[in-house]
Amino acid sequence: MKLPRGQLLRSRVVADPGTTLSTALETDLTGYAVFEPRDALLLDADGQGVLTFEAGVPVLAYHTRTDAGGATALADLAVPGPYSVDLFELDATDLAKIHDTPPLRVAPGLPAERLAGDPSLADRTRDAAPADRVGGSDTAADGPDAVAAFLDDEEKITAIREQARSEARDRAQEWGLADELANLPGAVADADDDEESDNAAGE
């Protein structure tokens, strides 16, 4: 997805994406936000999530690393914060053609539900959305394919976490941080698992 460069309104670090979604809604933003998880370097998972808005209501979602759009892009972006967020204002005419891209569209309240876990914000966003964009639940509005894709991602969460932890260990060793990583809560569980495995092997 190629967006014209908008006017930067603010650049900040937020713990919760809901802060940005709420700001966009309250200011009737027409433009876009660029989200980048701050732990991307440690996990070697570079990539940004882009969310466009029309009068404060989310329209499109896209993830630069996975090249996914819509609900799948939201799933790719739904990682623990904090996030570095740049918020841009862009003329509606510049967004009009881009917004006519069905595979990237999201239902109005879906980002608040998937990224922020905030039902109240999702309801307020749906209330502010044009009538032609609100039809049934957000899940239904996204269509069965998008829902299936998101559920598939949920089923892969465990595998993704394990891969991320493994990559984090490798990167920590490269940086000489293995001792610090060993003190993390997850590492304790891993050590216990390894000890149990060794004991089982000895028996």
Side-chain angles (χ1 to χ4, degrees), residues 3-188:
L3 280 169
R5 176 76 178 184
Q7 178 182 354
L8 180 63
L9 298 178
R10 63 186 63 186
S11 180
R12 62 180 55 178
V13 174
V14 299
D16 180 2
T19 301
T20 300
L21 299 176
S22 181
T23 297
L25 181 63
E26 292 167 2
T27 60
D28 291 329
L29 174 71
T30 294
Y32 60 96
V34 179
F35 296 84
E36 184 172 11
R38 293 299 297 270
D39 65 352
L41 178 61
L42 178 61
L43 298 181
D44 196 21
D46 59 329
Q48 299 172 326
V50 180
L51 195 62
T52 70
F53 300 87
E54 186 172 339
V57 178
V59 180
L60 303 182
Y62 177 74
H63 197 279
T64 62
R65 178 175 61 84
T66 61
D67 198 32
T72 305
L74 294 178
D76 291 337
L77 183 59
V79 297
Y83 296 80
S84 175
V85 183
D86 292 337
L87 200 61
F88 296 87
E89 185 176 34
L90 191 62
D91 192 271
T93 56
D94 292 326
L95 282 172
K97 185 176 181 179
I98 298 169
H99 279 172
D100 188 22
T101 312
L104 304 184
R105 290 175 74 89
V106 292
L110 201 64
E113 292 178 345
R114 299 280 171 87
L115 298 181
D118 189 336
S120 175
L121 178 58
D123 287 342
R124 288 194 288 120
T125 306
R126 280 189 286 265
D127 290 342
D132 61 352
R133 292 202 57 211
V134 181
S137 69
D138 280 349
T139 301
D142 261 323
D145 291 340
V147 175
F150 183 77
L151 292 177
D152 285 344
D153 281 338
E154 284 290 326
E155 293 171 359
K156 295 175 184 175
I157 283 178
T158 300
I160 291 172
R161 284 176 176 167
E162 289 301 322
Q163 180 180 357
R165 288 165 66 184
S166 176
E167 292 175 355
R169 291 191 198 99
D170 292 342
R171 187 58 56 86
Q173 289 176 351
E174 291 176 10
W175 294 344
L177 299 175
D179 292 340
E180 286 79 359
L181 185 62
N183 293 326
L184 294 177
V188 174

